[in-house]
Amino acid sequence: GMGMISIFILIIGTTIGINLSLWAFLIAAFILFRKNIFLWWASFRDLQNFWMETGKTGRIVILLITAILAFQYLEALAPPLQFDAFPHALSIPKAYIELGRIAYLPDIIFWGMPQNIEMLNTLVMYLGGSEAAPVLGWWIGVLALIGITDFTKNIFEKEAAWVTAASLMAGSGLTTS
């Protein structure tokens, strides 16, 4: 879904521009995909069942993961005080918004790289300011964690799912990005 949204933002941003058309796109996408969106949200009810069926060790892992995610959310909400590891992920969307459209940016050497996250950041930064981009990254990480946990649970078992989630959260890569 995020890849498709990125492509639509690219098309809208290069043709019509970055303006109220993005709101129209979001409303149209919601109307068009509302059944799938509601089915997807309904699948979150399985998380409650997963909690109830998990043993003591699994619950401890869930609580530790939740604590890590809560601290990372607070960090995502904070204003940026240090240099970002991927400056183009925020500078390119900012330039697009200032231009009012998606266009070639000769002054940014990273322009032209795969711009999936830049398109998504352009959307959320247009709608919610530059602080929205790190929060989007946080949500992408949470959804990836839920997805890989559910995938592992369906193939193996609950315990393997929590080992997978704990392994991802134990490293600094996912938690710091």
Side-chain angles (χ1 to χ4, degrees):
M2 286 185 270
M4 290 176 52
I5 291 171
S6 296
I7 291 170
F8 286 120
I9 293 168
L10 175 64
I11 292 168
I12 291 170
T14 55
T15 57
I16 300 171
I18 299 171
N19 50 39
L20 293 178
S21 60
L22 288 176
W23 279 104
F25 161 71
L26 287 176
I27 292 168
F30 180 79
I31 291 169
L32 185 63
F33 297 111
R34 69 186 177 280
K35 289 181 184 176
N36 292 332
I37 291 169
F38 290 132
L39 284 172
W40 187 76
W41 276 109
S43 68
F44 278 102
R45 282 187 236 143
D46 290 341
L47 291 175
Q48 183 180 8
N49 295 336
F50 196 38
W51 169 265
M52 300 306 277
E53 296 169 0
T54 301
K56 185 177 181 179
T57 305
R59 288 183 181 192
I60 291 171
V61 171
I62 294 169
L63 292 174
L64 290 173
I65 289 172
T66 303
I68 292 170
L69 289 173
F71 287 118
Q72 290 308 116
Y73 185 71
L74 292 174
E75 185 176 331
L77 289 175
L81 299 175
Q82 64 184 8
F83 185 71
D84 185 17
F86 302 106
H88 56 88
L90 298 178
S91 60
I92 291 174
K94 182 179 178 186
Y96 289 156
I97 292 168
E98 288 172 358
L99 281 172
R101 64 181 308 106
I102 296 171
Y104 174 61
L105 304 171
D107 296 339
I108 300 178
I109 62 171
F110 297 109
W111 190 90
M113 295 177 67
Q115 294 194 17
N116 189 19
I117 195 64
E118 284 81 1
M119 295 298 110
L120 295 171
N121 282 343
T122 301
L123 174 66
V124 298
M125 287 171 70
Y126 176 73
L127 299 175
S130 61
E131 296 80 16
V135 175
L136 171 69
W138 183 86
W139 275 109
I140 290 171
V142 168
L143 291 175
L145 190 63
I146 291 171
I148 195 71
T149 303
D150 189 54
F151 177 76
T152 307
K153 176 188 71 152
N154 290 335
I155 292 180
F156 300 106
E157 54 191 28
K158 289 184 291 282
E159 290 77 17
W162 290 121
V163 169
T164 303
S167 299
L168 283 174
M169 296 303 289
S172 65
L174 183 67
T175 57
T176 58
S177 57

